[in-house]
């Protein structure tokens, strides 16, 4: 199901220009979830980063500074991710982060085909795209806190957790135990109930519990 974040990814890719695809990740208490992509190739690249917790967008969101990889073929730090990027037809990457709140950041990860260079205008467009995502995520999280929707069976605690597990499975391309372990890790680090962390993720992705 398409979400507002998929629209952000499509706009980010179009805003940079031909030969570029975009993917969006969210990082909360050290856990990374891919939440949207402009095409399947960019999604596959970001899924590798999210599953391995290893790649430029992880560093970008941790330090809140852009990370540019001008030639993935010469990149040795993240071999699994690099192979996926090259196999997907991309040659260079820019990971551009933006903060959402104290323990939450987003990144717009821009995957470029051969012939695209990361000049200042393209990087500035990436920064604008990341900031737009952060503003929208922040607003939706605040709206979710204020909203009091009618309760139904989908609002039970197990149902909320199961839906969040499904979001992580789809976003990161992982199995259910791995997705549940990721939620559990965030809940432990954030010292919050598992259902609250699940609801937070659902609000981030779909603006619904």
């Amino acid at each position: 199901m398409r979400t507002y974040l998929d629209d952000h990814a499509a706009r980010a890719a179009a805003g940079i220009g031909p030969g570029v695809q975009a993917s969006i990740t969210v990082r909360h208490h050290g856990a990374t979830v891919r939440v949207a992509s402009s095409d399947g190739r960019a999604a596959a690249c970001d899924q590798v980063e999210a599953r391995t917790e290893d790649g430029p967008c992880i560093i970008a969101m941790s330090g809140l500074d852009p990370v540019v990889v001008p030639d993935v073929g010469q990149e040795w730090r993240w071999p699994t991710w690099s192979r996926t990027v090259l196999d997907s037809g991309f040659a260079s990457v820019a990971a551009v982060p933006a903060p959402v709140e104290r323990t939450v950041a987003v990144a717009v990860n821009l995957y470029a085909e051969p012939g695209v260079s990361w000049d200042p205008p393209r990087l500035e467009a990436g920064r604008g795209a990341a900031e737009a995502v952060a503003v929208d995520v922040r607003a939706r999280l605040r709206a979710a806190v204020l909203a009091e929707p009618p309760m139904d069976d989908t609002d039970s605690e197990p149902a909320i957790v199961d839906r969040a597990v499904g979001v992580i499975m789809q976003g990161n391309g992982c199995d259910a135990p791995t997705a549940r372990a990721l939620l559990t890790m965030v809940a432990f680090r954030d010292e919050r109930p598992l259902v609250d962390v699940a609801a937070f993720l659902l609000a981030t992705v779909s603006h619904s519990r």
Side-chain angles (χ1 to χ4, degrees):
M1 184 176 64
R2 191 174 182 86
T3 73
Y4 76 103
L5 289 167
D6 290 297
D7 294 336
H8 272 290
R11 284 196 295 269
I16 302 298
V20 174
Q21 298 295 337
S23 197
I24 299 171
T25 50
V26 174
R27 190 163 176 82
H28 180 28
H29 269 293
T32 305
V33 180
R34 183 197 67 88
V35 291
S37 303
S38 61
D39 83 341
R41 295 179 301 155
C45 296
D46 265 16
Q47 284 177 336
V48 170
E49 275 198 278
R51 289 197 302 268
T52 63
E53 287 288 338
D54 197 24
C57 90
I58 307 298
I59 293 177
M61 287 187 288
S62 297
L64 293 179
D65 282 317
V67 175
V68 177
V69 183
D71 184 353
V72 178
Q74 299 298 315
E75 180 54 64
W76 54 268
R77 288 173 291 180
W78 314 294
T80 303
W81 171 83
S82 295
R83 284 195 300 272
T84 303
V85 173
L86 293 172
D87 289 347
S88 298
F90 299 118
S92 65
V93 177
V96 187
V100 175
E101 49 184 56
R102 185 178 60 84
T103 63
V104 183
V106 298
V108 173
N109 306 307
L110 301 164
Y111 293 91
E113 296 172 359
V116 176
S117 62
W118 293 107
D119 53 24
R122 285 195 177 96
L123 287 176
E124 189 58 34
R127 288 189 185 94
E131 289 169 2
V133 173
V135 167
D136 208 350
V137 169
R138 196 178 300 119
R140 288 167 185 267
L141 288 173
R142 289 172 179 169
V145 169
L146 296 174
E148 294 183 0
M151 295 290 290
D152 58 34
D153 289 343
T154 64
D155 288 310
S156 69
E157 291 190 6
I160 290 170
V161 172
D162 285 346
R163 286 167 58 199
V165 167
V167 166
I168 297 173
M169 290 173 64
Q170 180 178 6
N172 289 4
C174 64
D175 58 21
T178 301
R180 191 172 291 271
L182 192 68
L183 272 182
T184 302
M185 180 186 75
V186 175
F188 174 77
R189 291 180 177 176
D190 204 16
E191 298 181 343
R192 295 171 63 187
L194 185 62
V195 66
D196 287 357
V197 173
F200 179 95
L201 175 61
L202 294 175
T204 299
V205 174
S206 62
H207 196 200
S208 65
R209 290 179 64 127

